[in-house]
């Protein structure tokens, strides 16, 4: 199964298939899963191969090929040596052991070719990106996705055939069109979110220590990325949870009143939001760049509401509430102090 966007894709295809057959050692499995989490396209390729493998088990059952029986039938049709004075060179070749081996190899080659070129078709991928500010996109099934600043959502050409899966790097709010027969799945760095039709937010970046899921409407199931433990958290309107780097699921006790406030450029609402996230939203909505003198202050939580105020005024209010000072260098605001620390 070749994929030009994946280096050594044929090798990884063989490794994934061996994993599904239970043929890998513990060390090989660890190597496989490290590779899978390195890049979004690795995870998508893994999912595609896994789904194709499952489909092959369900849809194709190759019959046992009895070479010995088939060969006996061929011999029964050959000319009896007692009735013929000359046996053709072709008949001699057919009876040669090497010919039987060649026939077996040919059958296996045909089966392998059929599985690689017919069953395992090569998918293509589409990336939706927001590099500066918020952007809105529609997925092939008319589900809508809002991308926060510096966010990418990727989906395969097989999207919508059996299921609806996207890979997220960043922060996005999804308005999923209902389709009970085809669950919608968001696969990110540490978590897997499964829904059938709802509105929710997922935040997941490679540099984060946790993934965050918030629900605006409907119900979603949140699982550890590979679902090895089988545990999940069900979230409904106003609920949130996080998934840490070890696969731990943590349900929030706070009620979320405004999910993905950055969708509305005229109103920003923060309730117990980490300062790092507040500053990221401020940059996405207003374009203001604010940095912290001490990075540990980024975990301090801020609660407040701004209605399209001047960015300089917003930064002053944040600094006042956090017991910090503001300095401006060029177009950049610097918050100095320990904050809540």
């Amino acid at each position: 199964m070749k994929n030009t966007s994946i280096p050594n894709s044929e090798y990884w295809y063989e490794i994934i298939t061996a994993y599904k057959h239970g043929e890998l050692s513990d060390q090989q499995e660890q190597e496989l899963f490290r590779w899978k989490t390195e890049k979004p396209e690795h995870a998508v390729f893994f999912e595609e191969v896994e789904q194709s493998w499952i489909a092959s088990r369900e849809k194709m059952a190759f019959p046992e090929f009895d070479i010995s029986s088939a060969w006996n039938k061929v011999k029964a049709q050959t000319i009896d040596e007692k009735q013929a004075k000359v046996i053709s060179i072709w008949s001699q070749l057919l009876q040669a052991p090497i010919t039987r081996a060649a026939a077996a190899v040919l059958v296996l080659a045909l089966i392998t070719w059929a599985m690689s070129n017919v069953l395992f078709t090569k998918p293509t991928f589409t990336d939706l990106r927001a590099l500066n500010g918020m952007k809105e996109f529609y997925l092939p099934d008319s589900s809508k996705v809002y991308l926060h600043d510096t966010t990418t959502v990727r989906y395969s050409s097989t999207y919508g055939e059996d299921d609806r899966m996207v890979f997220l790097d960043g922060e996005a709010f999804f308005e999923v069109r209902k389709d009970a027969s085809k669950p919608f799945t968001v696969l990110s760095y540490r978590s897997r979110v499964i829904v059938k039709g709802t509105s929710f937010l997922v935040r997941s970046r490679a540099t984060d220590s946790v993934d965050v899921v918030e629900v605006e409407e409907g119900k979603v199931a949140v699982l550890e990325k590979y679902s090895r433990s089988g545990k999940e958290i069900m979230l409904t309107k106003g609920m949130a949870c996080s998934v840490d780097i070890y696969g731990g699921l943590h349900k929030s006790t706070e009620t979320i009143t405004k999910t993905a406030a950055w969708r509305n450029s005229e109103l920003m609402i923060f309730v117990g939001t980490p300062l790092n996230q507040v500053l990221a939203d401020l940059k996405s909505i207003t374009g203001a760049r604010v940095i912290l003198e001490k990075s540990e202050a980024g975990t301090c939580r801020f609660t407040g509401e701004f209605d399209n105020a001047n960015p300089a005024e917003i930064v002053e209010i944040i600094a006042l509430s956090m017991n910090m000072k503001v300095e401006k260098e060029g177009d950049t605001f610097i918050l100095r102090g320990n904050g809540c620390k």
Side-chain angles (χ1 to χ4, degrees):
M1 184 177 185
K2 295 183 179 179
N3 188 319
T4 55
S5 65
I6 305 292
N8 300 319
S9 60
E10 292 184 335
Y11 165 79
W12 288 111
Y13 165 75
E14 295 294 340
I15 290 295
I16 296 169
T17 302
Y19 164 71
K20 296 303 296 182
H21 283 286
E23 299 172 352
L24 296 185
S25 65
D26 290 342
Q27 183 176 354
Q28 288 174 317
E29 283 193 17
Q30 292 175 8
E31 178 188 359
L32 172 61
F33 285 109
R34 277 197 301 270
W35 173 83
K36 182 180 178 182
T37 57
E38 284 177 355
K39 296 181 179 180
E41 51 265 34
H42 291 180
V44 175
F45 182 73
F46 182 98
E47 296 291 334
E48 294 291 343
V49 175
E50 186 176 51
Q51 291 299 320
S52 297
W53 183 87
I54 293 172
S56 70
R57 302 279 290 185
E58 294 176 347
K59 298 178 181 179
M60 297 188 67
F62 295 105
E64 294 288 336
F65 187 80
D66 190 340
I67 297 175
S68 178
S69 175
W71 182 245
N72 287 334
K73 292 181 180 180
V74 173
K75 288 199 299 184
Q77 298 174 10
T78 59
I79 301 174
D80 193 307
E81 289 184 354
K82 295 180 181 179
Q83 297 178 1
K85 295 181 180 180
V86 180
I87 298 178
S88 69
I89 295 177
W90 180 248
S91 296
Q92 293 181 42
L93 288 173
L94 286 176
Q95 295 182 31
I98 191 173
T99 306
R100 302 185 189 185
V105 171
L106 178 60
V107 170
L108 292 175
L110 288 173
I111 291 174
T112 302
W113 178 88
M115 293 183 68
S116 299
N117 294 277
V118 178
L119 182 61
F120 301 117
T121 56
K122 176 184 175 182
T124 57
F125 301 95
T126 299
D127 287 347
L128 308 178
R129 290 192 176 96
L131 301 179
N132 294 292
M134 188 267 292
K135 287 190 177 182
E136 303 175 20
F137 296 95
Y138 282 95
L139 296 169
D141 65 335
S142 296
S143 292
K144 191 174 184 179
V145 56
Y146 300 81
L147 303 188
H148 200 303
D149 191 30
T150 62
T151 293
T152 299
V153 164
R154 166 173 289 192
Y155 63 89
S156 166
S157 55
T158 61
Y159 178 95
E161 291 181 3
D162 297 315
D163 58 13
R164 298 175 290 170
M165 178 179 290
V166 300
F167 186 92
L168 169 69
D169 178 8
E171 180 174 356
F173 182 84
F174 298 89
E175 293 179 352
V176 180
R177 183 178 180 182
K178 292 185 178 180
D179 187 344
S181 66
K182 297 176 181 178
F184 184 93
T185 302
V186 179
L187 188 67
S188 49
Y189 285 101
R190 288 156 287 273
S191 63
R192 179 190 299 261
V193 180
I194 304 174
V195 305
K196 292 183 178 178
T198 186
S199 302
F200 63 101
L201 172 139
V202 180
R203 181 166 58 249
S204 175
R205 300 183 187 277
T207 55
D208 292 344
S209 59
V210 297
D211 287 1
V212 175
V213 182
E214 300 176 358
V215 179
E216 184 176 76
E217 293 288 345
K219 179 188 293 186
V220 309
V222 182
L223 305 87
E224 183 268 330
K225 185 174 182 178
Y226 302 116
S227 308
R228 294 175 182 173
S229 66
K231 295 180 180 179
E232 66 177 38
I233 290 180
M234 296 300 300
L235 302 179
T236 55
K237 181 178 180 179
M239 299 175 68
C241 78
S242 62
V243 183
D244 63 35
I245 58 175
Y246 303 106
L249 304 175
H250 309 279
K251 191 173 183 179
S252 174
T253 57
E254 298 180 1
T255 300
I256 306 300
T257 57
K258 185 67 176 178
T259 302
W262 44 263
R263 288 176 294 157
N264 186 344
S265 60
E266 296 182 355
L267 183 65
M268 291 180 285
I269 301 175
F270 304 103
V271 180
T273 306
L275 185 55
N276 275 334
Q277 189 59 47
V278 172
L279 301 184
D281 287 354
L282 184 62
K283 179 178 182 296
S284 176
I285 295 172
T286 69
R289 184 169 185 266
V290 185
I291 61 175
L292 297 172
E293 177 188 36
K294 298 184 177 181
S295 59
E296 56 267 28
T299 59
C300 295
R301 295 186 175 273
F302 175 80
T303 297
E305 180 175 325
F306 305 105
D307 54 352
N308 204 23
N310 182 289
E313 294 178 4
I314 295 176
V315 176
E316 287 287 352
I317 293 172
I318 292 174
L320 182 63
S321 67
M322 292 287 180
N323 195 28
M324 303 175 79
K325 293 183 179 180
V326 181
E327 291 184 10
K328 190 174 182 182
E329 294 183 0
D331 295 330
T332 301
F333 295 94
I334 302 174
L335 287 177
R336 300 190 183 278
N338 297 321
C340 62
K341 302 299 180 183

